[in-house]
């Protein structure tokens, strides 16, 4: 759809034309960790069986992991002669414990992977459904690339965390608790000496994790910004090349990529440093156990088997702490991504409430003192009053930015009026459900949108119940029957890349045919013939006369040749009606319309 100059949709700008840091400043939402975690856990409530199975595997594995070193201690004491018992039984039990520990680890991985996919599937479906229900103004004011990044990268980060990090976190906490209890039971003095390293661990984690969180949030924001740059470059590539903006666009991309690289490097550095730091602290703990354990053994406080068990327990104690420290960066990234996802889910949906549009064959449209502004204090439409009689063709003309397309936006309820009302058959459209309203209105935009599907599916987009006969009649009326027949598979030809395998003019013809198939009460044509040649335009005009016969039609046009036969021509200027009348009457006035007409056909300068 053509945009008014007062309107500034973020997703439609060519790279390099505005400050990207301003556009993406709101991408960072990782502020309330507790609330986000509570909200993530609500997704687990619908997967109680999988959560229970995963927890059972984690708990069983943790018990086996904690119990096995005790069996090892007994076996060592038996070998050293400090304890009586059957060595083979102890070794068999120890082997069984370690085998069961491995099996539980395997089951834990399977259950967590299944849980991850189920949770992410539900989250992705909710997010996509939410995007489908968002008002037009949201997508007009947010980068499309950033929205796509939330659907892909952020959700994938959550998936990775659920499948890998959370199970490690659960097992790590249980392992720490169990290990501490066993170590205190064996020798509380040696246990307390071993725990002295915990303080160092906490200090290191606090310092490093703060940096990890800060840079991971920045990395996610920049990643969405980078996706927005790529999306705009791809969609606007012809414009970029036509204006020789390749270098500017590349520089803009490189600047964003450099910032992303720096943020990623810093995140990875602080995340990677955690492991070596924790290992160093763990090695200090081993030295403490070796030195003081030997001393306590000489004094008779503990046996050699207990020292061997302590070494294993110290490793078990430090390993989950190290893992928790290492996955902290992943958790922060996932939390930041989850908050970005929830930020979209918390957006207000387009209000779908309302009554159905009255079932009448014909429809009249009335604008009563309508005013509207995209931004507060900057009105685009001012006190607009107009009646489009039933079955008549009304054309809106005027300079770019005069508010023509905004009128269509308001009629379709893409936006709601600030004041005044719009009525169809005296029924205020604010009281009509948007779905019912749009079912009775068909629109052909200047910027043609076709989907990567068959020609048949694209034509039936507005009327799934349409028969093949109706499709053929619509194709005939829109002058595209021969074009469709020349396609490789006719109506079953798949349009690749949203129709890139056909010309722009052919896409425009299919869009017009799609509107014909919808058979609406009200037809809106927004520069519908802007991308076809003069000969095709004449043929389409003839077809439009047939399809608009007896149907209320609103036509937006810059080519005045397309609206000369309109029942009423409305000349707009800065959101107001400057002139109104038919073609001959407006020319006779020698006002705004006369000026526009002479500019096009007499070559006068504007």
């Amino acid at each position: 759809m053509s945009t008014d100059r007062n309107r500034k949709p973020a997703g439609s700008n060519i790279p390099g034309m505005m400050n990207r840091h301003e556009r993406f400043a709101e991408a960072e939402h990782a502020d309330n960790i507790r609330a986000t975690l509570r909200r993530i856990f609500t997704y687990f409530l619908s997967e109680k069986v999988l959560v229970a199975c995963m927890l059972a595997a984690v708990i069983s594995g943790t018990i086996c992991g904690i119990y096995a070193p005790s069996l090892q201690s007994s076996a060592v004491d038996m070998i050293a002669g400090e304890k009586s018992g059957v060595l083979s039984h102890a070794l068999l039990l120890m082997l069984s414990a370690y085998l069961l520990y491995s099996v539980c680890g395997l089951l834990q991985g399977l259950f967590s992977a299944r849980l991850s996919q189920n949770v992410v599937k539900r989250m992705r479906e909710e997010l996509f459904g939410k995007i489908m229900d968002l008002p037009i103004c949201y997508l007009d004011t947010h980068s499309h690339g950033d929205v796509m990044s939330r659907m892909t990268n952020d959700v994938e980060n959550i998936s990775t965390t659920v499948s890998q990090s959370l199970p490690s976190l659960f097992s790590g906490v249980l392992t720490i608790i169990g290990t501490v209890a066993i170590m205190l039971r064996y020798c509380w003095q040696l246990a307390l000496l071993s725990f002295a390293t915990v303080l160092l661990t906490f200090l290191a984690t606090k310092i490093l994790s703060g940096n990890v969180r800060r840079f991971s949030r920045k990395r996610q924001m920049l990643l969405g910004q980078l996706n927005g740059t790529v999306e705009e470059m791809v969609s606007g590539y012809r414009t970029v090349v036509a204006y020789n903006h390749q270098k500017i666009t590349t520089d803009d991309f490189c600047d964003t990529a450099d910032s992303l690289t720096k943020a990623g490097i810093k995140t990875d550095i602080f995340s990677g440093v955690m492991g070596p730091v924790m290992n160093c602290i763990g090695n200090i703990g081993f030295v403490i156990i070796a030195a003081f354990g030997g001393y306590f053994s000489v004094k008779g406080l503990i046996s050699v088997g207990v020292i061997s068990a302590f070494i294993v327990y110290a490793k078990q104690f430090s390993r989950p702490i190290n893992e928790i420290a290492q996955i902290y960066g992943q958790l922060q990234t996932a939390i930041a991504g989850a908050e970005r996802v929830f930020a979209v889910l918390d957006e207000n949906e387009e209000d779908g409430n309302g009554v159905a549009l009255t079932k009448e064959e014909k429809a009249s449209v009335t604008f009563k003192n309508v005013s509207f502004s995209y931004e507060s204090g900057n009105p685009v439409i001012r006190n607009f009053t107009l009646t489009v009689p039933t079955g008549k063709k009304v054309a809106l003309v005027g300079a770019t930015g005069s508010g023509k397309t905004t009128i269509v936006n308001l009629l379709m309820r893409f936006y709601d009026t600030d004041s005044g009302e719009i009525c169809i058959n005296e029924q205020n459209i604010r009281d009509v459900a948007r779905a019912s309203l749009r079912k009775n209105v068909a629109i052909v935009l200047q910027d043609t949108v076709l989907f990567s599907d068959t020609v048949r599916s694209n034509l039936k987009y507005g009327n799934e119940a349409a028969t093949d006969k109706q499709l053929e009649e619509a194709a005939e009326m829109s002058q595209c029957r021969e074009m469709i027949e020349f396609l490789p598979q006719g109506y079953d030809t798949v349009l690749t890349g949203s129709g890139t395998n056909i010309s722009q003019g052919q896409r425009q013809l299919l869009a017009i045919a799609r509107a014909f198939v919808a058979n609406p009460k009200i037809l809106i044509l927004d520069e519908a013939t802007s991308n076809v040649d003069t000969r095709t335009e004449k043929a389409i005009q003839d077809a439009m006369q047939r399809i608009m016969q007896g149907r209320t039609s609103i036509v937006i046009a810059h080519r005045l040749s397309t609206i000369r036969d309109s029942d009423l021509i409305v000349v707009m200027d800065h959101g107001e009606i400057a002139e109104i009348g038919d073609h001959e009457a407006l020319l006779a006035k020698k006002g705004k319309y006369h000026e526009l007409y002479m500019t096009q056909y007499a070559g006068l300068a504007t």
Side-chain angles (χ1 to χ4, degrees):
M1 182 180 295
S2 59
T3 53
D4 299 304
R5 62 187 175 191
N6 306 82
R7 178 180 171 193
K8 301 176 181 178
S12 61
N13 294 287
I14 301 302
M17 300 305 290
M18 65 186 298
N19 189 317
R20 295 194 170 278
H21 296 287
E22 294 177 358
R23 291 176 52 198
F24 289 89
E26 63 178 359
E28 186 175 336
H29 294 291
D31 294 323
N32 197 334
I33 295 179
R34 290 185 178 180
T36 303
L37 289 176
R38 285 196 299 267
R39 190 163 177 178
I40 292 175
F41 289 147
T42 60
Y43 286 86
F44 296 155
L45 296 179
S46 60
E47 303 292 339
K48 295 179 181 178
V49 175
L50 278 176
V51 171
C53 291
M54 186 187 73
L55 290 178
V58 169
I59 293 172
S60 299
T62 302
I63 292 174
C64 292
I66 294 174
Y67 183 52
S70 297
L71 297 173
Q72 174 183 315
S73 174
S74 298
V76 171
D77 285 341
M78 290 178 189
I79 295 173
E82 297 184 13
K83 185 177 181 179
S84 62
V86 181
L87 179 61
S88 60
H89 289 174
L91 294 176
L92 183 61
L93 284 175
M94 184 170 64
L95 177 62
S96 300
Y98 279 120
L99 287 175
L100 185 57
Y101 174 79
S102 300
V103 172
C104 289
L106 176 61
L107 293 176
Q108 172 186 318
L110 294 176
F111 290 134
S112 62
R114 183 67 179 271
L115 176 64
S116 166
Q117 293 305 312
N118 289 354
V119 168
V120 170
K121 175 178 178 290
R122 179 186 164 195
M123 185 177 293
R124 186 178 284 119
E125 288 176 347
E126 288 184 3
L127 181 58
F128 187 81
K130 183 72 176 188
I131 293 174
M132 291 297 98
D133 292 331
L134 287 174
I136 294 294
C137 61
Y138 180 88
L139 294 177
D140 275 352
T141 54
H142 289 75
S143 164
H144 299 168
D146 186 57
V147 175
M148 292 166 60
S149 178
R150 299 178 192 227
M151 171 65 79
T152 54
N153 296 323
D154 292 335
V155 173
E156 191 60 34
N157 285 334
I158 297 171
S159 173
T160 302
T161 300
V162 173
S163 63
Q164 299 178 9
S165 302
L166 287 184
S168 298
L169 180 63
F170 294 153
S171 63
V173 172
L174 293 177
T175 299
I176 290 173
I177 294 174
T179 301
V180 168
I182 294 293
M183 292 174 73
L184 290 173
R185 185 176 69 86
Y186 273 136
C187 181
W188 64 269
Q189 298 95 331
L190 187 57
L192 292 179
L193 289 170
S194 300
F195 298 157
T197 59
V198 174
L199 179 61
L200 294 176
T201 300
F202 284 147
L203 290 175
T205 301
K206 183 177 181 180
I207 294 173
L208 295 175
S209 63
N211 289 289
V212 170
R213 178 187 176 189
R214 179 160 56 94
F215 288 112
S216 65
R217 289 164 58 188
K218 184 176 181 181
R219 181 173 63 180
Q220 288 301 108
M221 181 269 291
L222 289 170
L223 185 59
Q225 181 176 339
L226 193 69
N227 285 335
T229 301
V230 174
E231 189 269 340
E232 287 185 344
M233 187 281 294
V234 172
S235 61
Y237 182 70
R238 291 179 181 273
T239 304
V240 173
V241 174
Y243 284 92
N244 290 319
H245 262 247
Q246 295 95 320
K247 186 178 186 305
I248 296 176
T249 303
T250 303
D251 291 343
D252 185 56
F253 177 87
C254 291
D255 289 342
T256 306
D258 288 344
S259 299
L260 177 61
T261 301
K262 292 176 182 178
I265 289 174
K266 291 178 180 178
T267 302
D268 292 340
I269 286 176
F270 285 110
S271 297
V273 164
M274 283 186 179
V277 170
M278 296 303 112
N279 287 331
C280 180
I281 295 175
N283 291 334
I284 294 175
F286 290 152
V287 173
I288 293 175
I289 293 173
F292 287 93
Y295 174 77
F296 291 151
S297 178
V298 171
K299 293 296 183 181
L301 295 177
I302 57 176
S303 65
V304 175
V306 170
I307 295 176
S308 68
F310 251 87
I311 292 175
V312 177
Y313 281 128
K315 184 178 180 180
Q316 283 189 349
F317 180 72
S318 60
R319 178 180 55 79
I321 294 179
N322 293 346
E323 289 180 351
I324 292 173
Q326 289 176 341
I327 67 176
Y328 193 84
Q330 296 179 10
L331 289 174
Q332 290 299 327
T333 299
I335 292 171
E339 289 189 347
R340 283 162 49 83
V341 170
F342 294 148
V344 177
L345 292 177
D346 290 338
E347 288 289 336
N348 294 325
E349 296 181 0
E350 193 174 55
D351 185 9
N353 297 323
V355 299
L357 195 65
T358 54
K359 294 183 178 180
E360 299 182 22
E361 292 186 3
K362 298 182 179 180
S364 64
V365 181
T366 305
F367 297 84
K368 301 178 180 178
N369 300 316
V370 171
S371 295
F372 173 76
S373 58
Y374 291 106
E375 299 175 359
S376 179
N378 186 21
V380 178
I381 303 297
R382 302 176 179 84
N383 198 31
F384 184 87
T385 299
L386 174 68
T387 297
V388 182
T390 299
K392 300 298 182 180
K393 174 184 176 182
V394 173
L396 302 179
V397 300
T400 300
S402 58
K404 304 183 298 299
T405 296
T406 300
I407 293 297
V408 173
N409 287 340
L410 297 176
L411 176 58
M412 294 291 292
R413 287 199 71 188
F414 292 156
Y415 294 85
D416 282 326
T417 60
D418 294 340
S419 62
E421 60 183 40
I422 303 173
C423 298
I424 297 178
N425 293 335
E426 301 302 324
Q427 186 178 10
N428 193 330
I429 63 173
R430 274 185 175 268
D431 301 326
V432 177
R434 283 181 166 88
S436 177
L437 170 67
R438 293 165 187 170
K439 186 177 180 181
N440 290 275
V441 181
I443 184 170
V444 179
L445 302 175
Q446 177 182 4
D447 299 324
T448 306
V449 176
L450 297 175
F451 299 95
S452 298
D453 205 336
T454 63
V455 172
R456 187 187 310 278
S457 296
N458 273 280
L459 293 180
K460 295 174 68 174
Y461 197 77
N463 182 7
E464 291 291 337
T467 64
D468 289 345
K469 183 179 179 181
Q470 289 174 307
L471 297 184
E472 293 171 1
E473 290 177 352
E476 180 71 32
M477 296 181 70
S478 60
Q479 306 294 319
C480 63
R481 180 180 62 82
E482 292 184 3
M483 180 268 291
I484 295 175
E485 291 177 350
F486 275 110
L487 293 175
Q489 285 82 39
Y491 287 90
D492 294 318
T493 300
V494 176
L495 301 178
T496 60
S498 302
T500 55
N501 53 338
I502 59 177
S503 69
Q504 178 64 39
Q506 290 173 326
R507 293 200 293 269
Q508 192 80 60
L509 290 172
L510 288 178
I512 294 171
R514 179 173 58 191
F516 292 165
V517 173
N519 192 28
K521 294 180 181 179
I522 301 171
L523 182 64
I524 299 174
L525 303 173
D526 187 355
E527 292 288 350
T529 61
S530 61
N531 294 310
V532 295
D533 57 73
T534 305
R535 181 179 178 182
T536 305
E537 178 184 353
K538 179 62 171 62
I540 291 177
Q541 286 180 21
D542 294 338
M544 286 181 178
Q545 292 305 315
R546 294 194 297 271
I547 194 64
M548 289 189 293
Q549 186 68 34
R551 179 177 281 112
T552 305
S553 304
I554 298 177
V555 181
I556 297 176
H558 285 107
R559 292 187 189 178
L560 301 186
S561 61
T562 63
I563 49 91
R564 292 180 60 175
D565 59 346
S566 298
D567 298 296
L568 196 65
I569 298 174
V570 178
V571 183
M572 298 188 64
D573 184 37
H574 294 92
E576 299 178 328
I577 297 177
E579 293 177 335
I580 187 169
D582 59 27
H583 175 71
E584 298 298 335
L586 290 176
L587 282 181
K589 286 185 179 180
K590 296 188 180 297
K592 286 281 185 181
Y593 183 79
H594 180 269
E595 180 182 343
L596 290 172
Y597 186 83
M598 296 304 293
T599 298
Q600 289 190 20
Y601 296 102
L604 295 180
T606 56

